[in-house]
Amino acid sequence: MILELDCGNSFIKWRVIHTAEATMVGGGIVDSDQALLGEVIGLATARLTACRIVSVRSEEETAVLCTLIAQAFGVQARVAQPAIQMAGVRNGYEDYQRLGMDRWLAVLGAYHLAKGACLVIDLGTAAKADFVSADGEHLGGYICPGMPLMRSQLRTHTRRIRYDDASAERALTSLQPGRSTVEAVERGCVLMLQGFARTQLEQARAQWGDDFTVFLTGGDAPLVRDAVPMARVVPDLVFVGLAMACPLD
């Protein structure tokens, strides 16, 4: 069985897959290395034979996690590395090593699935969009604050904005103008995300007409689903690219 990890700035998304049966044994999202170890150890059926990682953390933090995995499970983790070209896609950054690995792997996964021009919209801590032409040229993209960052900044810098997560969830039952602070903030942030997604769609149409595929991924993808109804929602798009960047056969 293979342990796959997507290590972001705030959370670690993980899953254990049974390669022979092509099934997922378990998975989830945790906020620390120790929580990850506890979750994976708790899988009674998991006998790990390999591990592969995509990380946007520092090299030091990633190395610490690799050491913990080796000690706990006796496997050497493979960490995905930047590349100028891979799987038919050419990295579009002037300095290819500066393109975030999560974005790079999502682009690889999207192009593999689309077999043509594609737009990748990834909505997590940050909101990201990337464009790939039909011949595999990564044309660049955009990054702006995602829902967690927008919410955090408003809470941090505006003294009177205080509410809990349960109130935030209730506020998103509608996108009508808010009649309380929590409704105004949460619904306003969602509308900004939807506007971001629609603008990316306009950019893609200006480039390619209607001959492209849109992918939605990331934890907040459901919040903009109605804004881009033609999109394919692929929650594990980064893991698709990770398997390509770190083959374990």
Side-chain angles (χ1 to χ4, degrees):
M1 295 187 188
I2 298 174
L3 172 63
E4 296 184 325
L5 305 177
D6 178 2
C7 301
N9 292 305
S10 303
F11 299 100
I12 301 173
K13 185 174 184 180
W14 67 277
R15 70 179 189 179
V16 173
I17 57 174
H18 195 300
T19 49
E21 300 174 5
T23 56
M24 189 170 79
V25 177
I29 299 175
V30 294
D31 60 3
S32 70
D33 294 355
Q34 293 303 325
L36 170 69
L37 295 182
E39 291 280 341
V40 178
I41 290 171
L43 286 177
T45 58
R47 297 292 181 270
L48 299 183
T49 58
C51 174
R52 51 191 172 206
I53 298 175
V54 53
S55 176
V56 297
R57 297 174 166 187
S58 69
E59 291 184 7
E60 293 77 11
E61 291 172 311
T62 304
V64 167
L65 178 57
C66 290
T67 299
L68 290 174
I69 290 169
Q71 293 171 344
F73 306 111
V75 298
Q76 186 67 41
R78 288 192 58 186
V79 180
Q81 300 297 324
I84 296 175
Q85 183 166 330
M86 182 176 290
V89 181
R90 294 178 297 282
N91 192 313
Y93 260 31
E94 294 176 0
D95 179 355
Y96 76 94
Q97 298 184 77
R98 301 293 294 175
L99 177 62
M101 285 303 300
D102 54 341
R103 290 175 61 196
W104 175 235
L105 296 189
V107 161
L108 292 182
Y111 189 72
H112 171 74
L113 295 175
K115 304 293 191 295
C118 53
L119 164 64
V120 182
I121 301 175
D122 185 349
L123 302 176
T125 302
K128 296 161 284 189
D130 283 283
F131 298 76
V132 187
S133 68
D135 63 354
E137 186 73 30
H138 173 232
L139 304 176
Y142 299 93
I143 305 174
C144 72
M147 193 77 175
L149 283 178
M150 288 191 284
R151 181 188 291 127
S152 173
Q153 287 298 300
L154 285 168
R155 285 177 171 177
T156 300
H157 296 289
T158 309
R159 292 182 180 179
R160 292 183 178 273
I161 295 181
R162 297 288 185 273
Y163 55 84
D164 57 27
D165 292 341
S167 299
E169 187 174 346
R170 288 194 298 271
L172 293 180
T173 57
S174 164
L175 288 181
Q176 292 297 309
R179 297 174 66 87
S180 66
T181 299
V182 60
E183 290 180 354
V185 169
E186 292 295 311
R187 295 173 188 180
C189 289
V190 169
L191 290 178
M192 288 190 72
L193 278 190
Q194 291 185 349
F196 175 80
R198 289 191 181 101
T199 299
Q200 307 315 309
L201 195 58
E202 291 172 5
Q203 294 260 37
R205 283 175 173 155
Q207 289 261 9
W208 305 309
D210 291 322
D211 192 16
F212 65 97
T213 304
V214 186
F215 291 93
L216 269 181
T217 191
D220 285 327
L223 297 178
V224 304
R225 186 69 180 87
D226 292 342
V228 281
M230 74 296 295
R232 292 176 60 179
V233 180
V234 184
D236 293 330
L237 188 58
V238 168
F239 286 142
V240 176
L242 179 59
M244 299 163 68
C246 295
L248 297 171
D249 296 333

